[in-house]
Structure formats: C-alpha cells, structure tokens
Amino acid sequence: MLRILLTIVLPLALWVWAFIDCLITPENEVRYLPKPIWLIIVLLFPPLGPIAWLVAGKQRGFLRAGAGAADGRTGHPAGAPRGGRPTAPDDDPEFLASLNKESLKKDDKDHESMLRQWEADLRRREEELRGRDEPEDDRKS
C-alpha cells in the first residue's frame, strides 16, 4: 500500500497541483521561461517538470513585492509592504488625503440632528404611553 502511495498517488497529485498552479499563475509572476513553455515542461516531464515549476517557475512570498517591484514586473507599487498585501485605509496616506473633511463634518451634523429628532419622538411616545397607563382620579374613590 505504501509503495502504491509513493510511486503513483503522490507524483500524480504533485503533477496535477503544479499544472493547475501554472495555469492560474499570472504572466507577470512567471520566472525564467514563458508560461506556455512551463506548461509543456510540467505536462511532458513528470515528476521533474512539476518540481522545476515549484522551485524555479513562480515568484513566491516576499519576492513578489521585493524583487519584482524594482523592475516593474509584478504590478505592485514600489512602496507595497512585504508579501504584496494591500494597506489598510487608515495606513494609506493617499486615502486619508482624499477624504473631504468638510463633508464629514456636514454628515456628522446631519446625523446629530436626526438623532435629536428620534429622541424627541421617543420622549413624546413615552409620555403618551404613560398617560394611558396612569389611572384616572375618578376611579380611585
């Protein structure tokens, strides 16, 4: 059973995984050879082709943002953090500069006035309900 696993199942799984990975990898992350050539190598030379693809064919990890950003191949901005992750809006100076502070103040004023109206409506409704629940003076005697 172990012999079948090591000689058939694992190489087949590696071959399928490397082929799919090669297919879905964007052109700008492929290294050394054009993508169609890598596909042919992976298909025609198992298990060496898939191993070569996984080792040398694709930019992985921090290399995507580091080395590729200098020559413009990855599409990431040169100031992107390691790993190519996007920055949060609070950490992005361009986003913070694009916010219109006056419109935010206007929105805050609109929200405050709406909240005051809701509070006044709630107080009026509470007073109406209290008026219904209190017993009349005529019935006490």
Side-chain angles (χ1 to χ4, degrees), residues 29-105:
E29 292 182 13
V30 176
R31 298 189 312 177
Y32 302 121
L33 296 172
K35 187 174 176 178
I37 302 297
W38 275 115
L39 285 169
I40 292 170
I41 290 172
V42 168
L43 283 176
L44 296 181
F45 301 105
L48 297 177
I51 291 172
W53 165 253
L54 294 175
V55 171
K58 179 179 178 182
Q59 293 179 351
R60 300 196 185 273
F62 68 91
L63 293 175
R64 276 188 250 162
D71 61 2
R73 287 187 338 184
T74 62
H76 296 293
R82 261 190 181 173
R85 293 185 210 118
T87 57
D90 292 344
D91 297 334
D92 187 4
E94 292 176 11
F95 174 76
L96 293 174
S98 70
L99 292 177
N100 187 352
K101 302 208 187 290
E102 295 302 319
S103 68
L104 291 176
K105 289 179 183 178

Side-chain angles (χ1 to χ4, degrees), residues 121-135:
D121 187 43
L122 181 62
R123 283 191 207 105
R124 181 185 54 79
R125 290 181 183 188
E126 285 177 346
E127 289 174 7
E128 287 177 5
L129 288 174
R130 285 188 193 131
R132 286 189 212 161
D133 292 340
E134 292 178 4

Side-chain angles (χ1 to χ4, degrees), residues 2-17:
L2 183 62
R3 208 177 310 169
I4 293 172
L5 180 71
L6 290 176
T7 59
I8 297 173
V9 175
L10 284 179
L12 182 65
L14 176 68
W15 182 68
V16 169
W17 183 55

